Amino acid sequence: MLIRPRRIRNTESLRKMVRETRVDKSSLIYPLFVKEGTHIEEEILSMPGQFRYSVDRLPYKLEALADAGVPSVMLFGIPDEKDACGSQAYAQDGIVQRALREAKKQCPELYYVTDVCMCEYTSHGHCGVLKGDYVDNDETLKLLAAAALSQVQAGADMVAPSDMMDGRIRAIRECLDKNGYVNTPVMSYAVKYASAYYGPFREAAGSAPAFGDRKSYQMDFHNVREAVKEALLDVEEGADILMVKPAMAYGDVIRAVKEATNLPMAAYSVSGEYAMIKAAGKMNYIDEARVICETAAAAYRAGADIYLTYFAQELAQYMDEGRIG
């Protein structure tokens, strides 16, 4: 035989030389939950190994991430008080705003992304203000823009709206520009599906809707052409980075959006993905480390340039060990 594909698989060094998908630590973002109170480092039951941190405990985790080589975090806030309009999302002394000020002071070398949504802050758990039982899209845009602005004023390096309201990228972009933050990028959750994979996150952030579901604004998981449409709209509205969420079961969507646009592509490996791997690893049904690496490589192979994952610290270690890279 003249053609033998196995020739280039004979040694580890050769396999790495011809590797098609390459990843490094600079692409990792670690999602972090911050809550009110002091001296709190509270494990999330459905996400073993993940914690809710009070502002005073947050720097210890940030330092560990920085030491591991994880360059960026995304902050999610858990307020003590919630109301119908989610006012703590855009309060100057809100939990994320206070966390940002402390984080920038204690660990300025990290890059801080903030989730912009209302679900953690509203008493009803939906991602916007209600008109009856329906989320009022256009009224919500004003609050999302206010939340993004307050986070940037508190020190956010990038904002990431996850609400899936129509027109929110334009609303946030225009608000930031008007207030002088023309160089602050927006990473859009452009393609966010109404997914069962979010279950543990809703426990972690206390953000489950009090009634109904989010299918009137998050996407139907059967659709991919709609994902491309959503992404192209966000490009027109001024998004700087696009995201597909979840990651594990949506490689085809990541690829479709990547091919249809020219912006950097992020993929969010969500709480359910993390919980499944941890549960199977605990039962010794899988080699946890190898599955973490393989799952991450699948997202990058599909087209992700940025990977948001609760396994970011482990992946940084595995890159050092040469298990993935």
Side-chain angles (χ1 to χ4, degrees):
M1 288 183 285
L2 295 177
I3 300 172
R4 293 180 180 267
R6 289 182 56 189
R7 287 193 193 107
I8 58 173
R9 303 179 197 147
N10 281 336
T11 66
E12 180 70 9
S13 60
L14 185 53
R15 288 192 293 272
K16 287 184 176 180
M17 184 186 301
V18 300
R19 184 168 286 169
E20 298 173 21
T21 303
R22 299 181 186 275
V23 301
D24 60 52
K25 297 178 185 179
S26 65
S27 63
L28 296 173
I29 300 178
Y30 181 77
L32 250 173
F33 300 96
V34 189
K35 67 175 297 180
E36 306 279 3
T38 57
H39 310 301
I40 296 172
E41 195 167 323
E42 179 180 83
E43 189 167 23
I44 301 163
L45 293 180
S46 59
M47 300 175 67
Q50 300 301 307
F51 296 81
R52 304 177 191 91
Y53 298 92
S54 55
V55 171
D56 61 309
R57 296 297 301 172
L58 183 62
Y60 296 98
K61 181 61 177 179
L62 296 176
E63 289 169 6
L65 290 166
D67 289 344
V70 178
S72 181
V73 298
M74 178 181 281
L75 294 177
F76 294 87
I78 307 170
D80 275 349
E81 297 184 6
K82 304 184 180 189
D83 55 34
C85 61
S87 61
Q88 285 298 301
Y90 47 87
Q92 290 299 315
D93 63 345
I95 180 61
V96 163
Q97 289 79 356
R98 284 185 281 118
L100 279 166
R101 294 186 186 102
E102 184 66 17
K104 296 285 277 193
K105 186 191 308 178
Q106 300 294 335
C107 295
E109 68 272 27
L110 293 180
Y111 190 86
Y112 294 95
V113 185
T114 50
D115 177 78
V116 180
C117 195
M118 311 304 294
C119 62
E120 299 109 303
Y121 304 93
T122 55
S123 52
H124 47 75
H126 280 283
C127 298
V129 292
L130 296 179
K131 180 179 278 188
D133 288 342
Y134 189 77
V135 175
D136 189 318
N137 190 96
D138 295 4
E139 286 301 310
T140 299
L141 297 184
K142 302 171 188 176
L143 303 185
L144 293 168
L149 178 61
S150 71
Q151 291 172 355
V152 173
Q153 288 171 334
D157 298 301
M158 178 190 292
V159 293
S162 63
D163 56 284
M164 288 302 286
M165 297 298 115
D166 294 337
R168 86 263 203 224
I169 302 303
R170 183 182 299 278
I172 290 170
R173 182 74 272 156
E174 289 179 350
C175 178
L176 294 180
D177 289 357
K178 180 181 177 181
N179 285 275
Y181 296 102
V182 296
N183 291 321
T184 299
V186 176
M187 176 166 62
S188 171
Y189 287 67
V191 183
K192 182 178 179 181
Y193 287 91
S195 173
Y197 284 93
Y198 304 151
F201 176 93
R202 292 174 181 175
E203 186 240 317
S207 63
F211 64 90
D213 54 41
R214 297 183 175 132
K215 292 181 180 178
S216 70
Y217 42 101
Q218 294 178 359
M219 287 180 51
D220 183 344
F221 61 75
H222 297 82
N223 298 350
V224 66
R225 285 182 297 168
E226 184 184 14
V228 172
K229 178 177 73 173
E230 287 277 8
L232 291 173
L233 285 170
D234 286 359
V235 172
E236 290 178 9
E237 292 181 17
D240 300 286
I241 299 170
L242 302 173
M243 185 199 298
V244 171
K245 179 182 179 183
M248 180 186 284
Y250 293 85
D252 61 322
V253 181
I254 297 169
R255 172 55 56 188
V257 174
K258 178 83 167 185
E259 291 178 349
T261 65
N262 60 3
L263 294 185
M265 174 62 54
Y268 194 150
S269 180
V270 298
S271 59
E273 300 173 39
Y274 176 89
M276 289 191 299
I277 292 173
K278 293 298 289 187
K282 182 178 181 181
M283 296 298 292
N284 293 317
Y285 293 157
I286 60 170
D287 182 324
E288 183 175 309
R290 290 182 63 189
V291 170
I292 291 169
C293 293
E294 189 173 337
T295 303
Y300 289 107
R301 192 177 66 244
D305 305 296
I306 299 164
Y307 193 50
L308 294 93
T309 174
Y310 301 96
F311 288 120
Q313 194 166 341
E314 290 91 337
L315 279 168
Q317 175 189 333
Y318 299 152
M319 289 178 191
D320 286 341
E321 293 171 358
R323 300 195 197 192
I324 182 173

